Amino acid sequence: KAGVTQTPRYLIKTRGQQVTLSCSPISGHRSVSWYQQTPGQGLQFLFEYFSETQRNKGNFPGRFSGRQFSNSRSEMNVSTLELGDSALYLCASSLGSTTGADTQYFGPGTRLTVL
Amino acid sequence: GQQVMQIPQYQHVQEGEDFTTYCNSSTTLSNIQWYKQRPGGHPVFLIQLVKSGEVKKQKRLTFQFGEAKKNSSLHITATQTTDVGTYFCASGTYKYIFGTGTRLKVLA
C-alpha cells in the first residue's frame, strides 16, 4: 500500500497570506489527523476528521481550519498567516477504530515558512 | 488538560550503551503509544500499550506501561547508530497528546 502523501512538501509564504495543505491517507483509512511540529512546542494536535466530519479539535485559533472529502483526502487551511505559524505540518491517517486507539501513520509533512 | 511529560529531553550515549526514556502523566492514561522520528523525517509508530503493567519487546527495545497507567518507559539495549532520532510517547482517544520527546544521539 502507498503511504500517506502530503503536498506540497515545502512552502514559503508572507505574513497575512493564506495557505492550503493537502493530505492523502492510506487507502482504506478513514481518519485523518493534523499536527503542527515546532522546535519550541513539539507535536501539537490540530484536528481530526473522520467520515468528512471534524471529530476532535486542538487548542488552535480559528485561523486554522480543515476539511475532509468523501475519498478521505483532507486539506487544512491557515488564513492570515503569522510568523509563528512557521512549522512542519504533519498529517496522520488511521483506520478510525471505534475504540479510538489507532495506529497513526504519518506523512512526510509540509514545511511551511512564513516570512 | 492532559499533559504528558517526557524525560530526559536529550541523551547522548556511546554506541553499545543502554538508553531509557520516560513518559509521565498526572492523570491515568487510556493507552500509550511510542513513535520514533529520525532527523529530517516523520514520526513512525513503534508500539501501543493498553494494559496496566504491560511489557512488550521488539528486538532490543523494551516498552513498559506502569501499573497505575500514569507512566511508561522505552528502554533500548546496546544502542546502535541506527537508533539515532527523537522518541515520542503519545496517548489519547481520537485526539492524541504527544510527549515532548527525547532526542537520542549515539556516538560511534
Side-chain angles (χ1 to χ4, degrees):
Chain A
K1 277 186 182 177
V4 179
T5 58
Q6 290 187 246
T7 56
R9 293 293 310 278
Y10 301 92
L11 208 46
I12 299 175
K13 292 285 187 180
T14 56
R15 277 181 299 174
Q17 287 187 309
Q18 75 166 18
V19 66
T20 299
L21 313 181
S22 180
C23 172
S24 292
I26 291 171
S27 177
H29 285 192
R30 296 168 65 191
S31 170
V32 174
S33 298
W34 288 89
Y35 294 85
Q36 181 194 66
Q37 186 173 33
T38 59
Q41 299 296 320
L43 266 162
Q44 292 191 290
F45 175 82
L46 280 155
F47 28 66
E48 184 241 1
Y49 285 86
F50 178 79
S51 292
E52 302 179 64
T53 301
Q54 187 180 88
R55 191 162 59 173
N56 283 280
K57 190 176 187 305
N59 299 322
F60 278 81
R63 299 185 298 107
F64 292 81
S65 63
R67 59 178 176 169
Q68 186 180 35
F69 302 94
S70 57
N71 61 358
S72 293
R73 189 177 70 85
S74 177
E75 288 181 347
M76 69 162 277
N77 183 277
V78 188
S79 62
T80 320
L81 284 166
E82 300 177 359
L83 294 178
D85 297 333
S86 294
L88 179 67
Y89 290 89
L90 292 158
C91 109
S93 83
S94 64
L95 287 170
S97 74
T98 53
T99 63
D102 266 342
T103 298
Q104 295 186 91
Y105 297 87
F106 282 83
T110 294
R111 173 75 62 185
L112 171 65
T113 301
V114 182
L115 302 176
Chain B
Q2 184 181 73
Q3 284 189 322
V4 179
M5 304 304 294
Q6 208 171 333
I7 55 171
Q9 192 174 0
Y10 301 96
Q11 184 86 59
H12 294 184
V13 299
Q14 286 291 136
E15 189 174 20
E17 290 183 338
D18 292 356
F19 159 77
T20 305
T21 174
Y22 300 90
C23 205
N24 298 297
S25 169
S26 58
T27 58
T28 302
L29 302 171
S30 55
N31 55 58
I32 197 86
Q33 297 182 342
W34 285 94
Y35 293 81
K36 176 184 178 181
Q37 185 173 20
R38 293 182 186 272
H42 56 273
V44 174
F45 175 83
L46 293 175
I47 209 156
Q48 174 170 271
L49 307 171
V50 295
K51 296 177 183 175
S52 167
E54 190 170 11
V55 178
K56 287 189 177 180
K57 292 190 177 184
Q58 287 180 350
K59 296 183 181 178
R60 295 178 295 103
L61 277 60
T62 302
F63 304 85
Q64 287 190 303
F65 201 7
E67 293 289 343
K69 298 182 77 173
K70 289 185 177 182
N71 56 69
S72 180
S73 65
L74 157 58
H75 180 81
I76 302 179
T77 302
T79 54
Q80 300 175 358
T81 54
T82 53
D83 295 325
V84 164
T86 301
Y87 293 84
F88 293 96
C89 61
S91 183
T93 304
Y94 303 120
K95 173 182 175 178
Y96 292 91
I97 305 300
F98 275 74
T100 45
T102 295
R103 187 178 299 177
L104 172 65
K105 283 194 175 181
V106 180
L107 307 172

